[in-house]
Amino acid sequence: AVIISTVDGLTMLANSDSLPDNIPALLQIPSTVEIPAGISLILAASVASEGDRDECAENDPLCKFIYSLFGADGSVYAMFSLDFEPSLTLQMGFGGTALSKDSFCDDNADVRRVSLTEASIILSASKLEVTAGIAVSLQFELAEERAVLHNRGVYTSQSDACSNNNMINPLLFQGQLLASFSVPPRIEGTLLMRGVIYQFLGLDFVHISNVGLGLAFTPPAPLPTSVEAEGTLSLGRQCYTKLNTGEVVDMAAIDDSIPCARATTEFRFDTADPSATYFMVELEDFNLKSLIQAVAPADNVDSILNILPAVVEESGFDGKALFSYSAALTDTVTLSGKIVPAGLRVYGKLNLLGYKIFANISIIPFIKVYVEARADPLNLPGLKFLSATSDDEGPSVYINAGLGGSSSDIVKLSSALLLSTEGSSTGIAPLVEVYLSGRVQILSQFASALMTINNTHMYINVRMPLFGINSLHADFTIASSYGSLADASFLIAFSVVFDPIKALIIAPLQAFVELIIGLARGVVALLSPMVDALTAFNTFTDSILASDSATVRCIGAGFDAIRNTIDGWLDKLYLLPEGCSNGGCDISDVQTYLSKLLDDASMWASDLANLDIFSIGAAAQFSSDTEKTSLSLNAHVSVLGNTFSTGFIVSADSSLQDVISSIGN
């Protein structure tokens, strides 16, 4: 016997595998038995595992009863659970009984083909309802019989084939039927399949696993008021591998590089309780390349992928993606125990013809809005969308707004529509965080925006050219701190800068350099066919020189002279790294080195934009806090990074409110 306490805000926390492993009788409890949240007293009895289990002691009628009905591995158990809602649950049953054994092995080996894992009755009572039901679990061995494997040479002897009494590639079916005596009454049934159906319907790239179905009825209506289903589809010839013993191994879970597209779907539609409705789709490596590798004939996969451009074959979802919706205000549990997040949930990275978008979105109506999104730069004719700080990244958005506090308190208050009147008294407070960053380039004109807003401060900055003149740009900034009235402050600033040299000379020079670099990269790219041609030429020359004919070898000597001449030219390229001067260079070395030079030149061109040769500007700033209010105006001239400025500041050692009051008085 054991007393165990489990706590979980959703449903059962553990199953019998979580019980202590130092009590032999508990180890025999079926693994499908679930332990509810709360405090549970579990009683179990099974045939002792020590010594000879063929006979029980004469004075042990309980052992004889278990052994005669359920076998040596059978067990009986009873569980009493008290939850804090409150509710009381009683579950009694037995398991571990062999229904069919492998005829190739004797009974002592206990090699099963079909096993009754669990059969139990369930009684539960709470303040609102009384529930009664049964649970039955059966396990089937999908592998071939040991006799077939022995004849095939997988096992060398009968003892070798029967030494392991564990089922090979087992398929577990769990069924449960419950009747709830409540208002209205309810009948529920679930059937779960745990395991893998390898090469479903004989298709070598289709595999089905972890399927479940649940139905609920409200008498006397003949149609179900609730339908729940789930399942996982794996597409790929290498997702699983079947060993010669018949065991199926999930290779995709072991090696991430194995192409395997997976989709898991879970949904529930409930007309009796609409808040229990949900759906969830989980995708893994679901892109065009994985699908082609899964569906196309194995001999044609490489030829198909070689035809498609890389940006096309990589289109789809990169890694894992999740799409879900639940009408409940708190997380929901599926048939298999997975968690469906409350509200709307979107997560994943989408690759669309080389353009990548990442999104992490969670929306719970009236409670929470969370948005995190990033994208690659978007280039359209005459229009570009970039990040505020880099040309290699696109705009980004971060929004986190909702209610802070205990989730249970939030749900209770939102259900009662009391947030506006009782929120502050329960510790629930609004939470706001907003961050937006991006630039827009229209033709050659840039405009950028950066915004940060949360519960304590706000910062907004906009930078854009004036009158369409790229050398004349303006900055406008608003910053405010409002965490409390005791330390509230704000700042408003506006500046104009005129930088003619950067706009009229450096920018065109940068564009020209980048154009030359782009053309040079095109030339370097043409070296790849030259590499292939020279490789083929070297192979052809070597084959001629190895000919048995003296005449052919004489012709080959001429080709060899041409090859040596080309190698000599390459060795005289003094710009190439050390080692090439010793005759170790080939055309691919030239290509690699020139590509590195172009990368360095491209970095130098990007640094041109940071040169500060000459600029003039003016700025105005007004700020106030609890101790000081000030207004400043200034003008500046910057030459080669050295700035000279002049201006004036008017300030008062008082808050803005005090200054206004003084002026009024």
Side-chain angles (χ1 to χ4, degrees):
V2 65
I3 297 177
I4 185 169
S5 175
T6 61
V7 178
D8 193 318
L10 294 174
T11 181
M12 71 92 188
L13 178 66
N15 57 27
S16 60
D17 291 337
S18 304
L19 294 175
D21 57 4
N22 58 346
I23 304 177
L26 295 179
L27 296 178
Q28 299 299 107
I29 294 179
S31 60
T32 54
V33 174
E34 297 177 348
I35 303 174
I39 299 177
S40 299
L41 169 63
I42 303 175
L43 306 173
S46 64
V47 177
S49 57
E50 296 85 0
D52 187 1
R53 297 192 302 179
D54 288 341
E55 296 181 0
C56 294
E58 289 294 334
N59 58 350
D60 194 345
L62 180 59
C63 175
K64 294 181 179 180
F65 173 77
I66 296 174
Y67 186 84
S68 61
L69 289 181
F70 311 121
D73 290 327
S75 66
V76 294
Y77 73 94
M79 179 170 59
F80 304 88
S81 301
L82 177 63
D83 198 358
F84 306 108
E85 290 186 357
S87 65
L88 178 64
T89 301
L90 167 63
Q91 184 169 347
M92 297 183 297
F94 64 91
T97 304
L99 299 182
S100 174
K101 294 187 177 183
D102 196 315
S103 58
F104 184 67
C105 305
D106 54 37
D107 289 339
N108 292 331
D110 194 26
V111 178
R112 306 182 180 189
R113 298 288 295 176
V114 182
S115 176
L116 177 61
T117 305
E118 176 196 358
S120 59
I121 59 173
I122 304 170
L123 296 174
S124 178
S126 67
K127 293 186 297 183
L128 300 179
E129 63 181 10
V130 175
T131 302
I134 61 173
V136 178
S137 297
L138 294 173
Q139 196 169 33
F140 300 84
E141 185 179 55
L142 294 184
E144 296 173 296
E145 293 188 0
R146 267 67 170 180
V148 177
L149 297 175
H150 172 64
N151 294 335
R152 195 182 299 162
V154 175
Y155 297 113
T156 57
S157 63
Q158 181 184 19
S159 60
D160 182 25
C162 302
S163 60
N164 183 5
N165 59 3
N166 292 328
M167 286 188 179
I168 301 174
N169 191 26
L171 205 61
L172 176 65
F173 288 89
Q174 297 174 252
Q176 192 175 80
L177 181 63
L178 299 174
S180 298
F181 302 95
S182 58
V183 181
R186 189 176 177 91
I187 299 176
E188 300 180 21
T190 60
L191 179 61
L192 305 179
M193 184 206 78
R194 295 292 171 257
V196 180
I197 301 180
Y198 180 71
Q199 296 185 353
F200 183 65
L201 298 178
L203 300 174
D204 61 352
F205 59 86
V206 179
H207 317 281
I208 303 293
S209 60
N210 299 332
V211 179
L213 176 64
L215 298 175
F217 297 84
T218 301
L223 297 178
T225 56
S226 173
V227 178
E228 189 172 8
E230 63 179 29
T232 298
L233 171 67
S234 299
L235 298 176
R237 293 180 175 83
Q238 303 178 49
C239 293
Y240 297 90
T241 186
K242 192 171 186 179
L243 306 180
N244 57 359
T245 59
E247 181 181 359
V248 175
V249 180
D250 187 352
M251 299 303 298
I254 299 174
D255 187 353
D256 293 338
S257 64
I258 289 179
C260 180
R262 277 191 172 146
T264 300
T265 303
E266 290 137 331
F267 76 88
R268 176 173 181 166
F269 180 73
D270 198 322
T271 58
D273 183 8
S275 64
T277 297
Y278 68 82
F279 80 87
M280 183 167 67
V281 177
E282 298 173 281
L283 303 177
E284 186 173 351
D285 291 333
F286 223 78
N287 51 60
L288 185 59
K289 182 177 181 180
S290 296
L291 293 175
I292 291 175
Q293 291 173 325
V295 178
D299 297 337
N300 299 334
V301 169
D302 291 338
S303 60
I304 295 175
L305 293 178
N306 290 335
I307 296 174
L308 296 176
V311 294
V312 175
E313 70 177 47
E314 294 175 359
S315 293
F317 292 98
D318 187 5
K320 295 183 178 180
L322 170 67
F323 306 90
S324 70
Y325 170 76
S326 173
L329 296 178
T330 57
D331 294 346
T332 306
V333 182
T334 67
L335 286 170
S336 59
K338 289 187 177 181
I339 304 299
V340 180
L344 176 66
R345 186 79 164 88
V346 177
Y347 177 87
K349 180 185 289 185
L350 175 63
N351 185 337
L352 184 60
L353 297 178
Y355 186 75
K356 297 179 181 178
I357 303 173
F358 169 80
N360 184 7
I361 301 173
S362 178
I363 300 175
I364 305 175
F366 310 112
I367 294 180
K368 176 184 178 182
V369 174
Y370 180 91
V371 177
E372 180 187 359
R374 300 186 300 272
D376 285 347
L378 180 59
N379 297 320
L380 301 174
L383 187 65
K384 291 183 179 180
F385 294 90
L386 309 168
S387 76
T389 57
S390 173
D391 292 344
D392 298 327
E393 299 176 357
S396 60
V397 177
Y398 174 82
I399 300 174
N400 187 8
L403 300 174
S406 167
S407 59
S408 60
D409 287 342
I410 292 174
V411 172
K412 290 177 182 177
L413 287 175
S414 61
S415 300
L417 300 178
L418 297 176
L419 288 175
S420 59
T421 58
E422 298 189 11
S424 58
S425 63
T426 58
I428 297 175
L431 171 67
V432 178
E433 290 181 293
V434 178
Y435 177 83
L436 304 175
S437 171
R439 283 183 299 160
V440 178
Q441 180 182 0
I442 303 175
L443 298 179
S444 60
Q445 308 297 315
F446 276 100
S448 63
L450 178 65
M451 180 173 68
T452 302
I453 300 175
N454 61 24
N455 284 24
T456 60
H457 70 271
M458 172 182 69
Y459 177 84
I460 300 175
N461 175 259
V462 179
R463 179 185 177 94
M464 61 185 299
L466 291 179
F467 313 113
I469 304 174
N470 204 34
S471 59
L472 181 65
H473 59 265
D475 270 45
F476 181 70
T477 301
I478 298 177
S480 177
S481 174
Y482 41 80
S484 66
L485 293 177
D487 58 1
S489 64
F490 72 90
L491 176 147
I492 300 175
F494 179 77
S495 65
V496 178
V497 177
F498 181 57
D499 193 348
I501 294 180
K502 183 177 293 185
L504 301 177
I505 298 177
I506 295 180
L509 176 61
Q510 183 183 15
F512 176 74
V513 172
E514 290 178 349
L515 176 62
I516 297 300
I517 292 174
L519 294 175
R521 290 189 187 278
V523 174
V524 172
L526 294 176
L527 293 177
S528 295
M530 295 179 60
V531 172
D532 297 336
L534 287 177
T535 301
F537 179 75
N538 287 336
T539 303
F540 177 71
T541 302
D542 292 338
S543 63
I544 292 179
L545 292 175
S547 175
D548 295 334
S549 172
T551 303
V552 174
R553 289 199 302 272
C554 182
I555 297 173
F559 287 113
D560 190 40
I562 296 174
R563 179 170 59 180
N564 293 334
T565 302
I566 295 175
D567 291 341
W569 289 344
L570 294 176
D571 293 339
K572 291 178 182 179
L573 292 175
Y574 62 91
L575 289 176
L576 291 174
E578 295 182 4
C580 287
S581 58
N582 299 327
C585 276
D586 57 24
I587 196 69
S588 61
D589 295 320
V590 179
Q591 185 183 28
T592 301
Y593 188 68
L594 290 179
S595 296
K596 183 179 182 303
L597 288 180
L598 291 175
D599 290 339
D600 294 340
S602 181
M603 293 181 61
W604 175 82
S606 63
D607 291 339
L608 284 175
N610 299 323
L611 290 178
D612 189 3
I613 299 177
F614 173 79
S615 65
I616 59 175
Q621 178 175 303
F622 180 70
S623 63
S624 176
D625 55 28
T626 57
E627 298 180 353
K628 187 176 183 179
T629 300
S630 64
L631 171 67
S632 66
L633 298 173
N634 70 76
H636 74 267
V637 177
S638 180
V639 180
L640 297 178
N642 299 302
T643 302
F644 307 90
S645 63
T646 183
F648 67 88
I649 299 176
V650 178
S651 65
D653 294 332
S654 303
S655 66
L656 179 61
Q657 183 177 358
D658 294 337
V659 171
I660 294 175
S661 299
S662 299
I663 295 175
N665 294 333

